[in-house]
Amino acid sequence: MTNCALARTPLLLSLLVLSPLMPAHSRAQTSPSKVPAISPAEQQGIDRDTAQHFGDAPPNPAPRARLSGSTRPGAVRAAMSRVADWELNRAQPYFDRTWTWSVLYTGFMAASETLNNPRYRDAMEAVGENHGWQLRSEYPNADDQSIGQTYLELDMQQPSPEIIAPTQAALDDLLAGGAAVIPANQAKIPWWWCDALFMAPPVWSRMYAVTHDQKYLEYIDQHWQETSALLYDPHRHLYYRDITWLHKTDPRGDPVFWSRGNGWVMGGLARTLDEMPASYSHRDFYANQLHEMANAIVKLQDPHDGLWHSDLLDPVDYPLPETSGSALITFALAWGVNHDVLDRGAYTTVIEKAWRGLVQQIDTDGRLGNVQQTGAGPAHYLPSSSYNYGVGAFLLAGAQVADLSAHPGKKRHPLPQAP
């Protein structure tokens, strides 16, 4: 990727509309049981994802399960096991290195530890071995780097030079000036879309944790800062998906903030901070941004089901809860509390309500519903809609929620110290 840092200028900030956020509960609500019509373009996305085996949206799914939405560790693990086992049995024949699978793999790694079940970890090790521990492309963009998170976590558990060598070589090539293709209508920066902040920075922070070479943290800092300067609204404390969304509005004239896009960023902040040393000079920037986003996002939580809508500010046109974004948000909030980055008293009730809402999306067979298909912004979907990245996000959330109840104040992964 080319290293073309953007300045944080008043002109850039003036591109952002400055009307205040409106909490979801202050707007008229449409019943979640009312399923919006699927447009032809949305149906094409559903069909494409189904053809690639990311998941599907059957017209007649199993009924919803009657699982406890409690945050007690046993109840959380039961829900996680139901979903993880269904997904592994369904999806394992199709495992690949596409970003959707990479997100699922992060969830399986978390589930393996929380559930004390090596089956999930062993499946991830098989993925690495099958692909020779290679990333998806020679000069990988953020999506194609994302599988490196799982490779590096496996190495952190059982160090092996052959595991990290291909990922380290690819990252070093990027540091030396290698570049992936950037769409013509986007900013010429490596992380030009907010989703990238979940996909790539946690790879670089884990590479730091393995090598203790600060150049990997410096790369994160340079490119996260330029993405933040471009896409982060400093007044609303939410991210636009990419520059094409800076001036788009909903039917009421409000800006469009995608729940999964903001979930990607919050989840990326948590997973990056997870391996960023407490002594790192710029660490407060990431902790503060998680603080700001958490404070903004809780005001948009649906008061009825505890989740978030595909368009954070527009529950009228997007009435269904959206599970993948909600799970990423829940993960980040619970991670923040577990790691003393967010205040336990301020966020515990929000997390508990969100977890109950997530568990209500599980069918009797273990399918996790209401996951929006892949895309670049808010869209409509069916209640049965389930895709691998949504399951990965759910398992990440569950691992942190189980920790929240089992060990108040415990840091799940002690923060590494700079050598």
Side-chain angles (χ1 to χ4, degrees):
M1 301 288 182
T2 55
N3 297 331
C4 49
L6 295 182
R8 201 184 288 265
T9 65
L11 176 61
L12 182 60
L13 297 180
S14 71
L15 293 172
L16 308 179
V17 185
L18 302 180
S19 59
L21 282 172
M22 253 183 125
H25 58 73
S26 71
R27 293 171 172 268
Q29 295 288 315
T30 302
S31 171
S33 63
K34 182 180 179 182
V35 180
I38 306 296
S39 72
E42 289 166 339
Q43 187 61 53
Q44 286 179 2
I46 293 169
D47 294 342
R48 181 180 60 250
D49 288 354
T50 301
Q52 295 182 87
H53 305 289
F54 298 162
D56 55 17
N60 298 301
R64 292 292 197 232
R66 294 185 177 180
L67 294 171
S68 170
S70 168
T71 56
R72 294 192 306 272
V76 174
R77 293 187 187 111
M80 290 177 66
S81 294
R82 180 80 67 97
V83 172
D85 287 344
W86 179 83
E87 182 68 23
L88 186 62
N89 292 335
R90 182 202 70 82
Q92 193 166 13
Y94 310 110
F95 281 175
D96 196 1
R97 290 176 292 177
T98 308
W99 69 265
T100 68
W101 295 108
S102 298
V103 179
L104 174 63
Y105 302 158
T106 66
F108 277 143
M109 290 296 291
S112 185
E113 180 180 343
T114 297
L115 302 176
N116 194 26
N117 188 338
R119 178 187 179 206
Y120 310 120
R121 181 199 177 280
D122 291 347
M124 300 302 91
E125 188 168 15
V127 170
E129 291 173 345
N130 289 341
H131 292 288
W133 305 103
Q134 298 285 337
L135 301 184
R136 192 166 179 262
S137 58
E138 182 179 3
Y139 291 112
N141 65 10
D143 286 347
D144 289 353
Q145 290 170 42
S146 58
I147 195 171
Q149 297 183 44
T150 294
Y151 294 166
L152 288 161
E153 287 180 2
L154 287 166
D155 179 80
M156 291 163 75
Q157 292 180 8
Q158 188 171 348
S160 173
E162 69 175 5
I163 292 178
I164 71 164
T167 299
Q168 186 170 15
L171 300 190
D172 287 349
D173 283 348
L174 292 173
L175 283 169
V181 175
I182 297 173
N185 65 336
Q186 294 294 348
K188 304 310 175 190
I189 58 176
W191 301 336
W192 53 264
W193 71 118
C194 73
D195 318 29
L197 299 181
F198 181 93
M199 306 299 166
V203 179
W204 293 80
S205 66
R206 281 156 179 73
M207 187 59 74
Y208 165 80
V210 169
T211 65
H212 298 293
D213 191 330
Q214 190 144 319
K215 68 183 181 183
Y216 299 112
L217 296 180
E218 292 169 353
Y219 185 92
I220 294 172
D221 205 48
Q222 175 186 354
H223 296 302
W224 194 302
Q225 295 272 1
E226 65 192 11
T227 302
S228 180
L230 188 66
L231 301 179
Y232 186 56
D233 187 317
H235 302 279
R236 300 184 186 87
H237 299 144
L238 295 171
Y239 269 80
Y240 293 93
R241 197 271 177 175
D242 58 59
I243 61 172
T244 68
W245 292 90
L246 292 177
H247 302 297
K248 292 182 181 179
T249 58
D250 69 17
R252 279 154 294 282
D254 291 319
V256 179
F257 292 107
W258 185 28
S259 64
R260 188 159 74 222
N262 281 275
W264 287 134
V265 178
M266 293 180 69
L269 284 164
R271 286 182 63 77
T272 299
L273 283 164
D274 215 18
E275 304 300 343
M276 183 176 281
S279 59
Y280 183 55
S281 59
H282 295 160
R283 190 176 189 275
D284 283 351
F285 167 84
Y286 303 94
N288 289 340
Q289 192 161 92
L290 183 57
H291 267 286
E292 290 178 352
M293 294 188 73
N295 186 55
I297 210 80
V298 298
K299 298 170 185 174
L300 303 173
Q301 184 180 34
D302 190 287
H304 303 293
D305 58 40
L307 301 182
W308 288 265
H309 299 267
S310 182
D311 184 335
L312 286 169
L313 304 190
D314 189 4
V316 174
D317 295 307
Y318 296 90
L320 292 178
E322 203 291 300
T323 304
S324 61
S326 296
L328 289 163
I329 292 166
T330 305
F331 159 67
L333 296 177
W335 183 95
V337 168
N338 284 335
H339 291 75
D340 301 325
V341 174
L342 298 177
D343 180 72
R344 180 174 296 271
Y347 291 100
T348 296
T349 299
V350 174
I351 295 166
E352 290 173 345
K353 191 169 187 177
W355 181 251
R356 285 196 298 273
L358 290 169
V359 171
Q360 289 171 2
Q361 309 310 312
I362 303 172
D363 292 350
T364 53
D365 58 6
R367 167 186 291 273
L368 181 71
N370 272 319
V371 178
Q372 182 190 323
Q373 61 274 6
T374 61
H380 300 118
Y381 43 88
L382 297 175
S384 65
S385 179
S386 185
Y387 298 101
N388 48 15
Y389 48 87
V391 172
F394 174 84
L395 296 175
L396 286 173
Q400 289 298 323
V401 171
D403 237 17
L404 184 75
S405 301
H407 304 287
K410 168 178 172 283
K411 291 180 173 63
R412 192 162 190 264
H413 297 293
L415 290 169
Q417 297 296 313

